[in-house]
Amino acid sequence: MNGRNTVEEVLCLSAQRGYNVFHRNREESNILSDIVVAHPTSIEMIRTWPYVLIMDTTYNMPLEAVGMTLTGKNFTVATAFMCNEQATTYIWVLQQIKPLYFTSAMSNGQGSIINEGEPVVISYQ
């Protein structure tokens, strides 16, 4: 691992393999707090079928952003590991995911983000 800790190694390997990785650190301690990871194929797929993005915001679990093809097949767009479930964290995650799938379909109001009622996700749309 060339002197890297486990998290640093995961970030390094993800970048080497072409994943889109976004992360941020806590301001006061510079400790990693949140990570969003998306595979390039997933990004191609959500840009092909940008009409529905499902956000699984189950408590104490990684946030999963899932897309759906026209034939009803689901695919993972991105996974986020968050240090907490505060509004600012959800907004940061959504800000990282949105550029991955934003297309003309979304700008024309034809796309939707679906979740199980997390108020921050609803207000962000």
Side-chain angles (χ1 to χ4, degrees), residues 42-53:
S42 298
I43 295 168
E44 287 178 33
M45 292 177 72
I46 195 62
R47 288 180 177 164
T48 302
W49 299 288
Y51 306 106
V52 176
L53 185 69

Side-chain angles (χ1 to χ4, degrees), residues 42-96:
S42 298
I43 295 168
E44 287 178 33
M45 292 177 72
I46 195 62
R47 288 180 177 164
T48 302
W49 299 288
Y51 306 106
V52 176
L53 185 69
I54 302 165
M55 305 291 289
D56 181 359
T57 54
T58 303
Y59 180 72
N60 268 351
M61 297 294 288
L63 182 146
E64 292 287 332
V66 178
M68 184 180 296
T69 68
L70 293 177
T71 59
K73 303 257 185 207
N74 296 343
F75 57 93
T76 298
V77 176
T79 302
F81 300 92
M82 307 179 309
C83 69
N84 61 52
E85 297 184 355
Q86 296 175 354
T88 55
T89 305
Y90 280 111
I91 290 169
W92 180 83
V93 168
L94 288 166
Q95 288 171 339
Q96 306 318 301

Side-chain angles (χ1 to χ4, degrees), residues 8 19 21 23 38 52 58 65 70 78 80 82 100 104-105 124:
E8 292 169 334
Y19 284 76
V21 180
H23 66 280
V52 176
T58 303
L70 293 177
M82 307 179 309
L100 300 177
S104 59
Y124 186 78

Side-chain angles (χ1 to χ4, degrees), residues 8-49:
E8 292 169 334
E9 183 68 8
V10 168
L11 292 173
C12 181
L13 290 174
S14 297
Q16 286 177 1
R17 289 178 170 84
Y19 284 76
N20 287 276
V21 180
F22 308 96
H23 66 280
R24 68 177 181 170
N25 298 340
R26 293 183 182 163
E27 292 178 17
E28 67 279 358
S29 63
N30 204 32
I31 294 173
L32 182 68
S33 62
D34 306 298
I35 302 173
V36 177
V37 180
H39 191 275
T41 302
S42 298
I43 295 168
E44 287 178 33
M45 292 177 72
I46 195 62
R47 288 180 177 164
T48 302
W49 299 288

